[in-house]
C-alpha cells in the first residue's frame, strides 16, 4: 500500500476534526472533534512507522501513548462538562464564555440592564418606605 492513502485519509480526518472544533458550540461535540484529530495523528504515526520499517516501532509506541492521553482527556473533559452542565444548565461554549467574563455595567453605555443615573436622569434618594421594603425583602 502506498503511503499517500493513509496520509490523505488522516488529513481529511484531521480537517474534519478541526472544523468541528472551530464550528461547534456544544462542548461534547468539541471533545469528539478533538478525538477525531487525535485519531488522525495516530493513523499517521502508524502509517509512517510501517513505511519506514522502524525496528523499534516508535510510531506504534507513540500511538499507544496518544491513546492513553486521549482516554484521560475524555474522562476529565466529560467530568468537567457534566459539572458545568449541572451548575449552569447548558453546555453551549459561547454562553459559558459570556458567563465567565465579568461584566461591568459602567463599561457598556448601550446595555439595557444598566440602571445608572445617566440613563434614568437624576437619582432620587430612597425614602423611609423604600428602606422598609428592602429590609423586609
Amino acid at each position: 500500500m502506498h503511503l499517500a492513502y493513509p496520509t490523505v485519509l488522516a488529513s481529511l480526518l484531521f480537517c474534519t476534526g478541526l472544523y468541528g472544533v472551530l464550528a461547534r458550540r456544544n462542548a461534547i461535540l468539541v471533545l469528539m472533534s478533538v478525538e477525531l484529530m487525535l485519531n488522525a495523528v495516530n493513523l499517521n504515526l502508524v502509517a509512517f512507522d510501517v513505511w519506514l520499517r522502524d525496528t523499534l516501532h516508535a510510531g506504534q509506541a507513540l500511538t499507544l501513548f496518544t491513546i492513553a492521553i486521549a482516554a484521560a482527556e475524555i474522562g476529565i473533559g466529560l467530568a468537567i462538562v457534566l459539572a458545568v452542565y449541572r451548575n449552569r444548565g447548558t453546555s453551549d461554549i459561547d454562553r459559558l464564555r459570556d458567563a465567565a467574563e465579568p461584566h461591568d455595567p459602567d463599561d457598556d453605555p448601550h446595555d439595557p440592564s444598566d440602571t445608572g443615573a445617566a440613563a434614568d436622569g437624576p437619582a432620587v434618594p430612597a425614602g423611609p418606605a423604600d428602606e422598609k421594603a428592602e429590609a423586609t425583602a
Side-chain angles (χ1 to χ4, degrees):
M1 181 188 322
H2 294 287
L3 182 63
Y5 297 134
T7 307
V8 168
L9 179 63
S11 65
L12 289 174
L13 282 174
F14 191 85
C15 290
T16 304
L18 185 64
Y19 173 75
V21 167
L22 295 176
R24 298 292 178 186
R25 293 186 178 168
N26 190 348
I28 293 178
L29 292 177
V30 170
L31 285 174
M32 289 174 59
S33 298
V34 168
E35 285 294 319
L36 198 62
M37 292 166 56
L38 287 173
N39 285 330
V41 170
N42 289 340
L43 182 61
N44 267 336
L45 284 171
V46 171
F48 277 99
D49 181 56
V50 169
W51 184 65
L52 293 173
R53 295 186 177 100
D54 187 15
T55 57
L56 295 176
H57 299 291
Q60 293 179 14
L62 284 173
T63 298
L64 287 175
F65 181 71
T66 307
I67 289 171
I69 295 297
E73 175 251 336
I74 280 298
I76 293 172
L78 282 177
I80 291 171
V81 168
L82 286 175
V84 167
Y85 181 77
R86 285 182 184 167
N87 288 336
R88 306 273 176 145
T90 183
S91 63
D92 187 11
I93 294 176
D94 291 335
R95 293 183 67 192
L96 294 176
R97 184 178 4 166
D98 292 341
E101 295 173 357
H103 181 67
D104 188 12
D106 296 333
D107 292 342
D108 190 8
H110 303 292
D111 189 12
S113 66
D114 188 9
T115 58
D120 297 333
V124 178
D130 293 335
E131 291 173 3
K132 187 184 239 184
E134 288 178 4
T136 59

